[in-house]
Amino acid sequence: MLIITIAFLQSFILITNQQQYQVKFKLTSFGMKFQYPNISDLYSVQSNVFSTIRCAKICSIEPECQTFDYDISSNVCRLFSIWSYQVAGGNGPGTNRTQLNYPLGIYLDVTSNSLYIANYYCHNIVRWVIGATSWTLVAGDINGMSGNSSTMLFYPLDVEVDFMGNVYVADTSNHRIQLFQAGSRNGTTIAGVTGISVVVTSLKWNATGITVAGVTGISDTTPDKLNKPQGLSIDSNGTLYIADRNNCRVQKWLSGARNGTTVAGQSNGTCGSGPSLLQTPQGVIVDSDGNVYAVDTYNNRVQLWSYGASFGIMVAGTVMIPYFEIMNNLYNTLRSSMQYTVFLFPSTGISNSGNNQLSFPRDMARDPTTGTLYISDYFNHRIMRYLVNALSGTVVAGGNGPGTNRTQLNYPLGIYLDVTSNSLYIANYYCHNIVRWVIGATSWTLVAGDINGMSGNSSTMLFYPLDVEVDFMGNVYVADTSNHRIQLFQAGSRNGTTIAGVTGISGTDPYHLNYPYALKLDSQLNLYRETNEILRQINRLPPGVVIWQHSVNILRWNGLYKECIAFSRYDNYYDTI
């Protein structure tokens, strides 16, 4: 609205006087306020004028009116008998320091008696001391070149300056707001994504979920049912790949379909350790070619099922008799001889802690560029990295036994690979927290939950988190399993918001969760989570406005072209939507 008002005033002056002047206004809490030199220049104040256009019309029919301003909050139209005077430019368009090239947003710095000007067609911000004959560069390119780097601008529309001298720019065609700290020409993006025009919606989801796979409360091996689904992957078409744990298979579920099809393991739920079998798979990934990677948990391996294949190829782990077969055979032998004993299931691996071995792997992430796999090696308290075709892996996180120390992990479960920061987000299950481990580092940093491994149900605490996901804005989503909820931690914050489920209350209706195991986000930030026999989708609400809070400052934006920005008296930062 401010840009439209300025443009209209400039056009009005140009048509009437046949010469373009730089109109001198001050942006106040009441709107654009004309700065006139003498009180006698204000000759009329009219109330109950209900639009800027109406105020302009009044001025156009008043013989004495040469300038006006309008207060939108009180519907007051002020008429002035003088023209504004020229203070900058006026030497035609160009890149010379005595020229401006279609100036748009301006900011008056009273303390330095100067104007900050969005020099639109020159892709820069300049500062013009009132009374001077030329400008000095503040931000952007001095020769008028456009760009999208941190030192460049692309058709800036508006500019603001805070009390510390920091400069804020609506970098319009780069779809971002840039902050240039006082004296610096290297900007930081504080809103938007450089070069990407999107409508970023409010981070809110529907309170109820929709069942998209399985039947509530009923487990079976039929194509329309699941049995304790654990892992989940989504391809670019929105097709779901589900690790159907207790059916020992991976199901492919097309969007809107009532039934799934088996793409790994046996459709009838047969479990085992052969190449065509799986044993309680708990993680799954599908690549861009439709190949399926299954975390074959009880077989201590990861199997690759090429697109359309009827059997898998081991790409991580070693061939060995799994725990369940050892215990089964031992139990059957003793039962046949009428002997009884007590079995203690091992909490650490038996001869499977080498770099070519896994012990109860639970989840994995894959680098789409290199094909490298990252596997959460649950009983070995570590994350293993397997390069393509490698016979052995490398420890990239943990591996120092269970514990709360920053060099340790404590039964890691869900993991998320952030390629841009070369780091892993890890659901540190027994420590009740989410940690971030930069690949190559020797310790983690805390993302969410308690740093000392304590559990809880407050907004800053977690209770046995099973999975973690991160969106393109850096927001973190956690399957807070024993709290029966999904928590959202906005980028940089450790205070979570419940976006699905009710804290501490389990249930099978659309409003509740029952120990959510896994979660995934699709390209529209719709949330999918698994619990018991079903997979539910929780849709994000329609596009709206994102609100970031930094101290008491509130930023509003919609990810599209930035048109004008302003500061209130309390330095709250606003962007038009």
Side-chain angles (χ1 to χ4, degrees), residues 471-483:
D471 68 22
F472 68 93
M473 295 175 286
N475 302 311
V476 178
Y477 304 76
V478 181
D480 191 10
T481 304
S482 291
N483 277 326

Side-chain angles (χ1 to χ4, degrees), residues 351-378:
S351 70
N352 60 343
S353 59
N355 283 353
N356 65 334
Q357 297 170 319
L358 301 170
S359 182
F360 216 69
R362 299 294 294 271
D363 194 20
M364 66 179 161
R366 179 178 180 272
D367 187 326
T369 303
T370 64
T372 300
L373 296 176
Y374 297 86
I375 304 164
S376 59
D377 195 6
Y378 185 70

Side-chain angles (χ1 to χ4, degrees), residues 209-267:
I210 303 168
T211 300
V212 294
V215 180
T216 302
I218 303 175
S219 60
D220 204 340
T221 60
T222 57
D224 64 326
K225 296 181 179 67
L226 301 167
N227 192 351
K228 303 292 182 185
Q230 183 91 26
L232 177 63
S233 184
I234 307 175
D235 69 14
S236 58
N237 297 317
T239 301
L240 303 173
Y241 293 77
I242 304 165
D244 192 6
R245 186 182 68 176
N246 285 6
N247 281 331
C248 300
R249 65 189 183 184
V250 174
Q251 295 292 91
K252 176 181 178 180
W253 217 290
L254 299 176
S255 179
R258 294 184 178 180
N259 297 322
T261 57
T262 302
V263 293
Q266 299 300 306
S267 60

Side-chain angles (χ1 to χ4, degrees), residues 26 28 50 77 104 256 258 286 335 338 364 374 403 537 551:
K26 181 180 180 181
T28 73
F50 295 105
C77 175
L104 284 174
R258 294 184 178 180
V286 59
R335 187 177 61 175
M338 300 301 292
M364 66 179 161
Y374 297 86
Q537 174 186 0
S551 185

